[in-house]
Amino acid sequence: MEITIVREENQTYFEPLMPQEIWEKAHLILGAIEEGAACGILAVGEETEHILNLQYLFVAEGYRRKGIATALLEGLHEIGKYSGIDLTVCQYALNEEQKDLDLCLARNLFELDEVRTPVYRTAFGDLSPRYFGKKTDGDDWKKNVVPLSEVTARMWNRFAEKLEKLPEDETALTELEVKYMYDQEASFLLVKKGEPVGCILFEHLENDFLLSFFCVLKDASPLDMMHLFQASYQNLQTRCSDSSWLYINALTETTEKMVKNMTDQKAVLRGQAVTRYYYY
């Protein structure tokens, strides 16, 4: 078996193993070759403050349970140690389908975070129009709802600082990941009088979307909250069919209470969102 860094000259060889959107976001890609065949791939996101985000790990059927995933992770560990990386983070929904991944990460010394949050799945067509499709008069509200593509780093950091100052029992897990991880057009920041007071953040999966974070501060009204949902819905409506899957990570108690209402009781629990860390 050979583990290699995937570069422009050999990318075509590995392209069938990973969705295109992951290729576009990946900072580092490792590939596995067994008996002349490209059979495994690992991708990590952009390095931020000496942290790597493990975004994708895949081994082709017929090559599984042969230590290929472990070899890819060991290759990543070697690069991390050589590059002075502090830790590698991997986030996923823990269920029966991801059981093998969880065991593989555990064998490779990834530590499991104690905090778990429920992840639900619903079809896009099952989203309740009371939340996502509600119509409002005029377009004045759009001035306060800014797509992530137009949010400056300064404004993004200011909102993160506000969340950090809230009591722990109000925020639970409010640590925002790096901005580029979220879909830039379907995610929005709520700004009132020049100050960020809420957000709705989506991640684009292969053919689906993950509502990974939603929060409004006390300065925001219920109508402001509806505007965040409406803005995201209008964007997703142009990119999703009724059968497209939407995953919702109920990161806060407020979001969890809203999940059933947002989907008219049709959302199905798919597992627990977990995070594993490998410290170098």
Side-chain angles (χ1 to χ4, degrees):
M1 182 196 310
E2 177 187 354
I3 303 299
T4 182
I5 296 178
V6 179
R7 308 180 189 276
E8 185 176 350
E9 56 266 26
N10 63 352
Q11 177 175 326
T12 304
Y13 195 49
F14 292 94
E15 279 182 347
L17 300 177
M18 191 165 68
Q20 183 59 39
E21 58 264 25
I22 304 296
W23 284 102
E24 295 172 356
K25 295 179 179 180
H27 176 70
L28 169 69
I29 302 172
L30 297 181
I33 300 174
E34 176 77 2
E35 298 178 350
C39 58
I41 196 165
L42 176 154
V44 298
E46 183 178 350
E47 179 185 336
T48 305
E49 295 181 357
H50 304 291
I51 297 174
L52 292 179
N53 189 301
L54 177 55
Q55 294 184 303
Y56 194 79
L57 178 61
F58 176 79
V59 176
E61 196 169 351
Y63 293 90
R64 295 169 185 171
R65 303 187 186 282
K66 295 182 178 182
I68 294 174
T70 293
L72 286 165
L73 289 170
E74 289 176 348
L76 178 62
H77 293 339
E78 289 300 315
I79 292 174
K81 292 173 183 176
Y82 177 79
S83 304
I85 297 299
D86 292 333
L87 61 91
T88 294
V89 180
C90 184
Q91 297 173 310
Y92 54 100
L94 181 57
N95 51 33
E96 281 300 313
E97 296 174 8
Q98 298 282 35
K99 188 176 180 180
D100 287 344
L101 171 63
D102 192 60
L103 291 173
C104 182
L105 293 173
R107 285 196 300 268
N108 283 274
L109 306 180
F110 278 79
E111 297 181 24
L112 183 64
D113 195 302
E114 295 180 358
V115 180
R116 310 276 182 97
T117 54
V119 176
Y120 293 86
R121 186 179 77 173
T122 185
F124 183 78
D126 289 335
L127 292 177
S128 173
R130 289 182 299 150
Y131 281 87
F132 283 89
K134 189 173 181 179
K135 302 295 183 182
T136 56
D137 296 331
D139 292 331
D140 288 344
W141 61 272
K142 293 183 179 180
K143 299 177 182 177
N144 297 331
V145 181
V146 184
L148 211 58
S149 59
E150 299 177 14
V151 174
T152 64
R154 183 177 181 181
M155 184 69 76
W156 177 262
N157 293 334
R158 192 185 306 171
F159 183 59
E161 290 171 1
K162 285 189 175 187
L163 295 180
E164 290 176 358
K165 294 178 181 178
L166 294 177
E168 291 185 5
D169 58 347
E170 290 186 20
T171 57
L173 283 174
T174 56
E175 180 181 355
L176 297 184
E177 300 297 334
V178 289
K179 180 172 173 281
Y180 82 92
M181 287 182 58
Y182 302 106
D183 188 282
Q184 300 293 291
E185 304 304 326
S187 302
F188 292 84
L189 194 68
L190 179 64
V191 180
K192 298 190 71 176
K193 297 180 180 179
E195 288 296 320
V197 295
C199 72
I200 185 168
L201 303 176
F202 281 87
E203 293 180 49
H204 190 189
L205 309 178
E206 183 174 358
N207 296 308
D208 313 305
F209 287 87
L210 167 67
L211 173 54
S212 57
F213 189 76
F214 169 77
C215 177
V216 290
L217 304 182
K218 293 180 180 179
D219 294 337
S221 67
L223 187 59
D224 291 325
M225 178 190 73
M226 299 297 291
H227 290 161
L228 280 173
F229 282 117
Q230 182 182 5
S232 290
Y233 183 85
Q234 288 182 351
N235 179 269
L236 293 176
Q237 199 172 29
T238 65
R239 303 161 66 186
C240 295
S241 66
D242 283 349
S243 60
S244 296
W245 291 118
L246 177 67
Y247 294 86
I248 305 170
N249 185 2
L251 196 60
T252 65
E253 290 185 7
T254 300
T255 305
E256 186 171 12
K257 290 176 182 178
M258 293 172 59
V259 167
K260 292 293 184 179
N261 289 332
M262 290 192 303
T263 61
D264 291 332
Q265 312 299 315
K266 295 176 182 178
V268 176
L269 183 64
R270 289 292 296 162
Q272 298 291 317
V274 299
T275 302
R276 279 191 178 271
Y277 302 91
Y278 182 89
Y279 294 94
Y280 292 92

